[in-house]
Amino acid sequence: MEKRAPYHTAAPKGPRNLAQPLGEWLRAQGFSVLLQELSAYALLTAHWISPRFERFELTYTWQAGPSPDATCQLRALSHQLGPQVEVLFTAQRVRRLKDMRLLLLGNVRYHNARLLAKPAAITTASTP
């Protein structure tokens, strides 16, 4: 029987490039996604427009090298009272797709916008 390296030594040392799976997940959430990948660098930019015409922009960057890094940021653009940009989170380090999902879905402003986007349940009252 051949010997295997222990799991903890076989795992990558730094953050993995999550651009592909993140892009797929964001598309499933209704985002428009643009992905640029090189061998040692990836940039993902995505946006979603809420029912109130707020534009949520998410940026994910990954770089390989001696000190690999993967960060993301989310901001909201609104034009209700003139052009306004609100940074919802910035320079958040992510190592797993789960971290990215928690950051996005845990953001109160984005969560509320998604609730407004869900189709309302239509109830009909029966009349005698």
Side-chain angles (χ1 to χ4, degrees):
M1 184 148 93
E2 79 181 68
K3 289 187 172 186
R4 292 184 173 180
Y7 178 75
H8 65 277
T9 59
K13 296 285 183 207
R16 293 171 284 163
N17 181 0
L18 301 173
Q20 285 288 341
L22 178 60
E24 292 171 13
W25 180 73
L26 288 170
R27 283 184 187 99
Q29 299 298 309
F31 278 77
S32 296
V33 177
L34 177 63
L35 177 60
Q36 300 171 350
E37 281 189 290
L38 299 172
S39 60
Y41 181 78
L43 172 65
L44 179 141
T45 55
H47 75 272
W48 176 74
I49 299 176
S50 76
R52 291 187 177 169
F53 301 104
E54 293 174 295
R55 181 181 169 106
F56 289 87
E57 294 181 347
L58 185 128
T59 305
Y60 169 82
T61 57
W62 170 81
Q63 65 182 18
S67 57
D69 198 20
T71 60
C72 62
Q73 70 176 17
L74 178 67
R75 61 188 196 154
L77 290 79
S78 176
H79 293 285
Q80 292 176 347
L81 302 172
Q84 297 176 339
V85 177
E86 182 181 348
V87 177
L88 304 177
F89 59 78
T90 185
Q92 294 293 310
R93 289 207 159 97
V94 290
R95 296 181 69 87
R96 302 175 302 171
L97 187 57
K98 181 180 179 180
D99 299 338
M100 195 59 236
R101 288 180 184 154
L102 288 173
L103 276 171
L104 185 61
L105 298 176
N107 182 273
V108 174
R109 183 158 176 195
Y110 175 75
H111 177 74
N112 290 339
R114 293 303 291 193
L115 288 176
L116 289 173
K118 288 185 180 179
I122 300 174
T123 57
T124 56
S126 59
T127 54

